[in-house]
Amino acid sequence: QLQLVESGGGLVQPGGSLRLSCATSGFTSDYYAIAWFRQAPGKEREAVSCISASGTTTNYADSVKGRFSISRDNAKKTVVLQMNSLTPGDTAVYYCAQAYYTDSMVCTLRMFGYDYWGQGTQVTVSS
């Protein structure tokens, strides 16, 4: 059974860091890109970052460029989102999601195509 499980969320002060993990199971990672999305209260879900199946391509939303970093370990079937210099504007529930591409070097920040989602992990940035 295909499954994605997020972990690592929590409460952090502005300027702090958090490391989110997405553990995947039930599929081979050769052709699956993974993305992180987030949804703040009263707002639409938005893309944060993605990484291709091969790990060679990454993309970031403008709002997180230079602060967030995505990586994956296909042997461990884990994708990590390192979040630095956090601000209250980063407060949201963070979800990881999976999309299938025939090209292992592709990932996109469009929600379309991400068919499998985790349950989410809460990130709260507050003093």
Side-chain angles (χ1 to χ4, degrees):
Q1 182 179 358
L2 199 148
Q3 193 172 14
L4 298 92
V5 179
E6 304 93 340
S7 62
L11 173 64
V12 64
Q13 292 188 342
S17 298
L18 279 177
R19 185 179 175 90
L20 304 184
S21 292
C22 175
T24 67
S25 61
F27 64 96
T28 59
S29 58
D30 292 358
Y31 297 101
Y32 286 95
I34 300 291
W36 286 93
F37 293 81
R38 67 186 181 185
Q39 188 166 18
K43 294 187 177 181
E44 294 186 353
R45 192 170 296 189
E46 64 176 359
V48 174
S49 181
C50 68
I51 187 166
S52 63
S54 64
T56 55
T57 301
T58 58
N59 289 303
Y60 298 91
D62 289 342
S63 60
V64 306
K65 281 181 181 177
R67 301 189 297 123
F68 291 11
S69 177
I70 192 170
S71 61
R72 70 188 295 163
D73 183 334
N74 284 342
K76 295 182 179 179
K77 294 190 173 184
T78 301
V79 174
V80 170
L81 184 69
Q82 177 67 42
M83 307 187 297
N84 299 324
S85 303
L86 287 162
T87 72
D90 296 314
T91 295
V93 178
Y94 283 70
Y95 301 89
C96 63
Q98 171 189 288
Y100 174 83
Y101 293 102
T102 56
D103 185 340
S104 66
M105 296 179 67
V106 171
C107 80
T108 75
L109 295 179
R110 294 174 298 172
M111 197 173 299
F112 177 79
Y114 287 94
D115 296 326
Y116 296 95
W117 294 75
Q119 293 300 308
T121 184
Q122 175 70 46
V123 171
T124 303
V125 184
S126 175
S127 55

